[in-house]
């Protein structure tokens, strides 16, 4: 089940995100967010949160600020929920940033129609000023240096 994040769940959201080893702060080349303050959706299996997606609205764009999922189609369901919301509110674009080492996320969003919009070389240097715990090496032993912006243009309802 995917539903909007409720205010009374924000403390458990923080615990869930912390449990995955991530900080509740999301840093992109455009913004720094505390994901506990953003809109979001949760995927719930019985009473357990199995996925979270948070978003921020800027003008006509809905930026996916952060997502934590555990497989089983959860990412697709959360993405469908934010796409529906963005389309209903007449936003023209969904956008997100990911790191150069996050090949799985890059593939996921490209399969869902997103395209590379911007390549941000050395963006992780600025991220580390806010989050010094970010390692120098990411997934697959890839040096963690850059960010990639993905966009999906949305049709107006």
């Amino acid at each position: 089940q995917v539903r909007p994040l409720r205010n009374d769940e924000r403390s458990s959201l923080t615990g869930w995100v912390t449990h995955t080893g991530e900080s509740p702060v999301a840093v992109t080349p455009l913004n720094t967010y505390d994901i506990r303050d953003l809109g979001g959706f949760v995927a719930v299996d019985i009473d357990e949160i199995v996925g979270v997606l948070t978003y921020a609205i800027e003008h006509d764009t809905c930026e996916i600020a952060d997502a934590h999922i555990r497989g089983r189609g959860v990412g697709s369901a959360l993405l469908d929920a934010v796409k529906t919301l963005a389309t209903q509110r007449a936003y023209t674009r969904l956008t997100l940033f990911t790191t150069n080492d996050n090949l799985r996320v890059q593939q996921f969003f490209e399969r869902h129609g997103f395209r590379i919009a911007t390549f941000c070389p050395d963006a992780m240097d600025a991220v580390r000023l806010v989050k010094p715990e970010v390692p120098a090496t990411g997934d697959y032993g890839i040096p963690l240096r850059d960010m990639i912006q993905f966009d999906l243009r949305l049709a107006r309802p």
Side-chain angles (χ1 to χ4, degrees), residues 66-83:
D66 202 41
H68 297 271
I69 57 174
R70 292 188 186 156
R72 300 183 315 219
V74 171
S76 295
L78 288 166
L79 182 57
D80 287 345
V82 77
K83 276 174 144 173

Side-chain angles (χ1 to χ4, degrees), residues 4-157:
L5 175 66
R6 298 186 315 243
N7 284 335
D8 65 332
E9 293 177 309
R10 292 191 183 276
S11 62
S12 65
L13 168 64
T14 303
W16 196 85
V17 171
T18 303
H19 173 71
T20 65
E22 299 287 332
S23 163
V25 175
V27 181
T28 74
L30 300 178
N31 293 296
T32 298
Y33 303 108
D34 183 327
I35 64 169
R36 297 168 293 191
D37 298 332
L38 299 178
F41 291 97
V42 294
V44 179
D45 184 10
I46 305 175
D47 289 331
E48 179 188 7
I49 293 176
V50 294
V52 177
L53 181 148
T54 57
Y55 62 87
I57 305 302
E58 182 93 20
H59 307 292
D60 66 344
T61 299
C62 180
E63 182 178 356
I64 297 172
D66 202 41
H68 297 271
I69 57 174
R70 292 188 186 156
R72 300 183 315 219
V74 171
S76 295
L78 288 166
L79 182 57
D80 287 345
V82 77
K83 276 174 144 173
T84 298
L85 171 99
T87 301
Q88 289 173 344
R89 294 186 181 177
Y91 301 127
T92 60
R93 180 172 70 129
L94 273 176
T95 191
L96 67 109
F97 288 87
T98 191
T99 53
N100 63 289
D101 70 317
N102 205 337
L103 305 178
R104 198 181 47 147
V105 166
Q106 293 173 37
Q107 292 170 351
F108 173 83
F109 282 103
E110 287 194 59
R111 276 195 312 271
H112 284 83
F114 284 73
R115 298 183 65 179
I116 295 172
T118 306
F119 179 72
C120 307
D122 300 317
M124 295 308 293
D125 293 340
V127 170
R128 287 186 189 92
L129 294 175
V130 178
K131 294 172 68 169
E133 69 274 13
V134 173
T137 304
D139 292 343
Y140 313 104
I142 297 172
L144 192 50
R145 295 186 283 239
D146 312 312
M147 294 189 92
I148 303 165
Q149 181 179 7
F150 285 86
D151 280 359
L152 177 68
R153 296 290 173 182
L154 300 171
R156 293 197 181 249

